[in-house]
Amino acid sequence: MKKGLLKQFPKQIREKILDHTIESYELRDVILKLIEKNPKFIIRTYLNDEELRDLLEEKDFEMIENKLKSALNYEWLYYEFKKAVKENMDELVRDIAESFAFSILYENKYEYDESSGQIKDCGKYNLDDYEKLGDFLCDYGLVTENTDDYLEIDPDNDTSHLDSIAINYLHKTLKQLLIDVYNNRREEFLKFFGIEQDYVLSDMDFEELEYELFEFFDSDFPIPDFDNPVGIAAQLISEVEEMDAKTLFEMGKEAVMSKEK
């Protein structure tokens, strides 16, 4: 059995698992108790482990799966967050579309002139020059900052700008998930986070809980997952970069122009 799963069990249970002397019902009851009592217990990611399956009868395995559908713990929140990030991609696309439309409408394009060694202001961007958003980002990397009458190139401007949009999207998605869970399962939610039952959470409370949970998933959550949603910003951006530039512009143009009025 995988060490990550095994080490979560009490010593006596670990020994019986290793000796193959544990009964299916006994292992089932231990797992159900850990799901209920230990919010950091990790089991979903190990359910397809053959050694675990061999120790459990099918009916006991099904009881564990059914328990996981309703149990509120860190692992449940993690996978719900991961699912929500993918399901709400339209919101990220809309945010990036607005940013792109703003650049096309109101920002200038800059190029480095090798002959003079200076940065040249080329005026407004031409939407027709770009087939995909990724093509635009190659130019947007030369957006510059006017400081004390001279221009400086920011080589990380294209990625850092979209990174901030994507990371903000991740935080908004996790915060909305917490709000939804609170509204649907208030008593369990308050118990899970150790909050008094008569306490009414404010928007700031959700901001703080979201930040704490985001940091936990980022640094302390013991799941070896290459697609950990807190670190998926670059992957999300790469997906949007393949979108048609004119389509994105049309998506964001109206919202940007209404804000500028």
Side-chain angles (χ1 to χ4, degrees):
M1 186 178 293
K2 294 180 180 178
K3 292 181 180 178
L5 172 59
L6 192 60
K7 69 181 183 181
Q8 297 181 93
F9 292 108
K11 181 180 178 181
Q12 182 180 2
I13 299 298
R14 287 202 303 268
E15 292 173 351
K16 296 184 75 171
I17 290 173
L18 291 172
D19 293 341
H20 288 267
T21 56
I22 194 166
E23 296 290 340
S24 176
Y25 72 87
E26 185 180 7
L27 179 57
R28 175 204 68 199
D29 289 346
V30 170
I31 290 175
L32 292 177
K33 182 178 180 180
L34 286 169
I35 292 172
E36 181 72 27
K37 301 297 183 181
N38 182 1
K40 295 182 181 179
F41 179 62
I42 305 301
I43 186 64
R44 285 173 176 82
T45 190
Y46 298 112
L47 285 181
N48 292 323
D49 184 281
E50 290 184 5
E51 290 185 71
L52 178 62
R53 294 296 298 262
D54 289 343
L55 293 172
L56 289 164
E57 294 180 8
E58 192 61 34
K59 61 181 178 61
D60 294 326
F61 190 85
E62 289 178 0
M63 287 181 66
I64 293 169
E65 286 190 314
N66 289 332
K67 180 66 175 179
L68 288 171
K69 293 176 183 178
S70 60
L72 182 59
N73 56 22
Y74 283 109
E75 192 178 22
W76 185 87
L77 287 167
Y78 176 85
Y79 283 108
E80 288 297 308
F81 176 37
K82 189 171 183 176
K83 182 171 65 175
V85 167
K86 289 297 184 181
E87 290 178 346
N88 298 306
M89 274 290 288
D90 286 350
E91 183 174 341
L92 173 63
V93 171
R94 185 177 66 248
D95 291 344
I96 291 179
E98 288 187 22
S99 174
F100 175 53
F102 180 88
S103 296
I104 295 295
L105 291 169
Y106 302 112
E107 294 183 340
N108 282 11
K109 173 183 174 182
Y110 295 90
E111 290 182 354
Y112 179 72
D113 189 336
E114 293 186 1
S115 61
S116 66
Q118 295 183 351
I119 301 169
K120 180 174 62 175
D121 187 339
C122 301
K124 296 299 182 185
Y125 288 100
N126 182 2
L127 181 61
D128 292 330
D129 290 341
Y130 311 109
E131 181 179 348
K132 298 184 295 185
L133 176 64
D135 300 327
F136 165 75
L137 294 178
C138 293
D139 283 343
Y140 194 68
L142 284 176
V143 167
T144 59
E145 182 177 352
N146 194 330
T147 306
D148 296 331
D149 297 326
Y150 67 90
L151 296 172
E152 292 181 342
I153 293 178
D154 178 4
D156 297 322
N157 184 77
D158 59 331
T159 54
S160 62
H161 177 63
L162 290 189
D163 278 347
S164 64
I165 294 176
I167 291 171
N168 183 57
Y169 162 71
L170 293 174
H171 281 288
K172 287 194 300 182
T173 302
L174 183 54
K175 178 183 175 183
Q176 187 58 53
L177 171 62
L178 291 180
I179 292 172
D180 292 342
V181 175
Y182 174 76
N183 289 334
N184 295 323
R185 305 170 63 173
R186 184 178 181 278
E187 185 174 341
E188 292 175 87
F189 183 96
L190 295 176
K191 180 181 178 181
F192 176 79
F193 285 105
I195 301 170
E196 295 293 333
Q197 289 291 326
D198 59 350
Y199 185 78
V200 178
L201 271 69
S202 66
D203 188 70
M204 181 60 71
D205 291 324
F206 283 111
E207 292 275 357
E208 293 176 357
L209 289 173
E210 182 277 322
Y211 179 80
E212 292 174 6
L213 193 56
F214 194 92
E215 290 297 304
F216 176 76
F217 289 155
D218 187 34
S219 57
D220 298 324
F221 197 48
I223 286 186
D225 186 357
F226 290 113
D227 291 325
N228 188 328
V230 302
I232 206 172
Q235 182 179 327
L236 297 177
I237 291 169
S238 67
E239 293 178 21
V240 184
E241 283 179 356
E242 296 301 312
M243 293 188 64
D244 180 76
K246 291 183 175 62
T247 300
L248 272 177
F249 176 75
E250 290 300 322
M251 287 176 61
K253 178 178 67 174
E254 184 176 341
V256 169
M257 294 180 70
S258 65
K259 291 178 182 178
E260 292 300 309
K261 288 180 181 179

